[in-house]
Amino acid sequence: MNNKILIENYLLILKSTVEVYVHGTLESSNKDIRDLLKHGLSETMTHQADTYDIMKKYGFYNIENVDLNNIKQTLQKVQGNN
């Protein structure tokens, strides 16, 4: 398995973990547990941002600027204003 696949899989795991922490935090009725989950959420989001930066550094995640007209056209399609 190459590095790109490994780091993409790790990023997917982090995203799934964030979802678990968010739902746990929202559903928790105990302040201590909620605070613990919020801390875990914050740590996981930091790992996600670091992983994203590594992916950009090694060219595994490329960002393209999108033309404003393309954004407007896509928004119109989503809103059903074809």
Side-chain angles (χ1 to χ4, degrees):
M1 195 175 295
N2 66 36
N3 289 340
K4 182 179 180 189
I5 292 172
L6 287 172
I7 202 162
E8 285 174 345
N9 286 336
Y10 182 62
L11 186 62
L12 289 173
I13 290 167
L14 289 171
K15 288 179 178 183
S16 296
T17 304
V18 164
E19 288 183 38
V20 171
Y21 277 124
V22 166
H23 290 290
T25 302
L26 291 173
E27 299 296 328
S28 177
S29 60
N30 181 294
K31 184 186 179 324
D32 292 336
I33 293 173
R34 186 172 46 253
D35 289 344
L36 181 68
L37 291 170
K38 283 169 48 175
H39 177 72
L41 174 61
S42 177
E43 290 291 316
T44 304
M45 291 179 69
T46 298
H47 288 296
Q48 185 275 335
D50 293 344
T51 302
Y52 173 74
D53 289 341
I54 290 168
M55 292 178 78
K56 286 192 304 185
K57 178 181 175 181
Y58 289 99
F60 299 155
Y61 198 102
N62 297 315
I63 299 172
E64 296 179 25
N65 290 327
V66 179
D67 181 56
L68 183 58
N69 288 329
N70 289 348
I71 294 171
K72 289 178 182 178
Q73 288 173 355
T74 302
L75 183 59
Q76 288 175 348
K77 287 180 184 178
V78 170
Q79 292 174 338
N81 300 328
N82 299 340

